[in-house]
Amino acid sequence: MEAEASDELRARVQPVVEAFGDAVGGLPAGCWAAPGRINIIGEHTDYNDGYVLPIALRRGVLAAAAKRADRAVLASSLQKGGMPLTIDEDQLHPKRVTGWAAYPAGIVWALRRAGHDVGGVSLVLDGDIAIGGGLSSSAALECAVALACADLFSLALSRQDLAQVACGAENEFVGVPVGIMDPSASLLCQRGHALFLDTRTLESEQIPFDLDSAGLSLLVIDTRAAHRLADGAYANRREACEEAARILNVPALRDVQLTDLDAALEQIADPTIRRRVRHVVTENARVLEVVDLLGRGLIDAIGPLLTASHESLRDDYEVSSRELDAAVDAALSAGALGARMTGAGFGGCAIALIATSAVAHVTAVTESAFERLRLTRPRIFAASAAPGARRVIE
Ligand code: GLA
């Protein structure tokens, strides 16, 4: 695996290595980094066997790790005060470990369940990504640990295999019914590219996503309204889609083409389920259109599709929020080419595609809109397509 040791990363790694000495003793066997993600387009499509198009962020989770002589998982998080938690082998059962430690423990559980020879592991974790903020902090944590375990125990697993391990851990061990997008983004994304992933076949393609040469920036507007996937709204959307697929007698909503949408909607009596289907089918079509435009070097033309995605998520899928709508409306009013919520919704982050020369203006307009609406001041930063998970020190 490529080892990366830029000065910036070294500076981030140093405190984690020191904390490893305090919590575990000695030096870690290595340090692994896994990024969070933002999704350019393709929202709530991954559990419908559809298409997604995420990029990796520079921010994410670092894991310093070493094998242990026993079969326990020791985990310490610098965001949680650094106090080490030990999870013995007999506690490694689905839904028994609660809180953040369920994510690293779940990875070890999922690897062992799949028959891999994974012993005990000590982990010290450090993240620079808001927890529960919609940038996939949980997938970053899982993927840093999964990659560490794969290297430490010399597992013959591909990146896509590891993404499936992470997804299985989150679904079954932690108990949150997320799809495959986030761990795939964290593990498979490459610098300067968006990951076009078919979540049915798991085939993926790296699509050049070069904002700089088009004079564009992608602003992330973190509304700081925490989203909670475990509270039922996400699972409820997923169930509605499964119900619709049953009514339409297709394996998944991915199998409904845009040209067949009207006929499909006529077969569904429930107006809420009809709206959910309309979102998923139109969203899949929008992903393909965006991929086509990017392939033709027309990154500046994707804006209206991003905004259409937001409208569909707001009106048909009903997963936006007052804060996300405020962010999108403010960015568009300040001249953004397109803007949308990104991730599961119900809070979290929006993205806006803007001319780089407009960064300060769009930021100021968005901040003052939030102030006028008496919303918490958003955190706004520009994102570019960063590399996926990797080992950062040997
Ligand atoms: C969350 C889930 C993903 C995906 C998105 C919505 O981020 O973890 O699997 O379903 O929501 O697109």
Side-chain angles (χ1 to χ4, degrees):
M1 196 154 302
E2 192 190 331
E4 180 170 329
S6 67
D7 289 349
E8 187 195 337
L9 261 174
R10 274 204 190 289
R12 279 189 55 208
V13 164
Q14 194 55 33
V16 191
V17 170
E18 278 165 22
F20 190 94
D22 295 341
V24 184
L27 285 172
C31 197
W32 289 262
R37 63 92 191 94
I38 51 175
N39 190 16
I40 304 299
I41 196 159
E43 220 63 86
H44 290 276
T45 48
D46 63 350
Y47 51 83
N48 290 299
D49 278 3
Y51 306 110
V52 295
L53 190 69
I55 61 170
L57 291 172
R58 282 178 58 199
R59 301 168 191 227
V61 170
L62 278 175
K67 289 184 188 181
R68 296 173 59 82
D70 60 16
R71 290 183 56 82
V73 177
L74 178 144
S76 149
S77 160
L78 301 194
Q79 277 63 57
K80 303 286 177 186
M83 185 66 156
L85 298 174
T86 305
I87 300 132
D88 291 321
E89 189 173 18
D90 60 3
Q91 289 170 268
L92 274 184
H93 294 292
K95 301 183 192 158
R96 189 165 307 171
V97 184
T98 54
W100 67 270
Y103 294 92
I107 294 294
V108 173
W109 170 82
L111 285 168
R112 285 183 187 164
R113 184 189 58 160
H116 299 290
D117 188 12
V118 173
V121 57
S122 295
L123 298 153
V124 173
L125 305 154
D126 187 19
D128 61 354
I129 187 169
I131 295 171
L135 299 176
S136 229
S137 51
S138 52
L141 172 50
E142 290 158 358
C143 293
V145 173
L147 202 56
C149 289
D151 278 358
L152 287 175
F153 297 98
S154 306
L155 307 179
L157 289 171
S158 68
R159 296 263 171 149
Q160 193 60 67
D161 294 336
L162 288 176
Q164 282 176 287
V165 164
C167 188
E170 189 151 349
N171 290 169
E172 294 169 59
F173 194 88
V174 183
V176 187
V178 291
I180 193 76
M181 170 169 70
D182 302 347
S184 302
S186 188
L187 286 158
L188 295 169
C189 277
Q190 292 180 6
R191 192 195 303 273
H193 293 80
L195 178 79
F196 174 38
L197 176 71
D198 178 335
T199 66
R200 168 169 282 167
T201 63
L202 298 184
E203 277 164 20
S204 61
E205 196 183 330
Q206 300 291 339
I207 308 291
F209 192 74
D210 185 1
L211 292 159
D212 280 351
S213 67
L216 296 176
S217 291
L218 193 64
L219 274 197
V220 178
I221 304 163
D222 178 356
T223 65
R224 296 168 70 192
H227 78 151
R228 288 179 309 280
L229 295 190
D231 72 0
Y234 181 92
N236 162 287
R237 296 302 182 285
R238 197 170 171 150
E239 281 156 21
C241 292
E242 284 160 9
E243 170 70 9
R246 267 194 298 277
I247 296 170
L248 298 172
N249 200 22
V250 288
L253 290 184
R254 141 75 173 274
D255 298 298
V256 181
Q257 305 306 314
L258 193 56
T259 44
D260 301 332
L261 178 59
D262 290 342
L265 294 179
E266 273 172 27
Q267 295 179 55
I268 300 171
D270 182 328
T272 304
I273 299 186
R274 270 208 301 271
R275 288 200 302 276
R276 305 296 187 250
V277 171
R278 189 163 55 203
H279 166 70
V280 174
V281 174
T282 58
E283 184 77 351
N284 273 324
R286 282 186 287 269
V287 179
L288 298 179
E289 265 192 79
V290 168
V291 168
D292 177 59
L293 289 170
L294 293 176
R296 292 193 281 135
L298 299 172
I299 192 167
D300 53 342
I302 70 171
L305 290 157
L306 304 187
T307 307
S309 167
H310 184 75
E311 288 163 359
S312 177
L313 288 157
R314 182 191 63 200
D315 303 337
D316 279 345
Y317 220 63
E318 296 175 282
V319 290
S320 188
S321 67
R322 191 166 164 248
E323 293 87 352
L324 290 166
D325 291 344
V328 167
D329 293 347
L332 290 173
S333 77
L337 303 180
R340 61 182 289 273
M341 52 155 276
T342 186
F346 317 109
C349 296
I351 53 172
L353 183 70
I354 63 174
T356 299
S357 56
V359 168
H361 175 63
V362 177
T363 303
V365 168
T366 307
E367 281 173 356
S368 58
F370 270 60
E371 205 178 316
R372 223 176 24 255
L373 295 166
R374 296 178 188 283
L375 298 172
T376 308
R377 189 184 173 87
R379 245 185 247 117
I380 303 181
F381 61 94
S384 56
R390 62 222 180 271
R391 188 173 189 155
V392 286
I393 53 164
E394 300 297 332

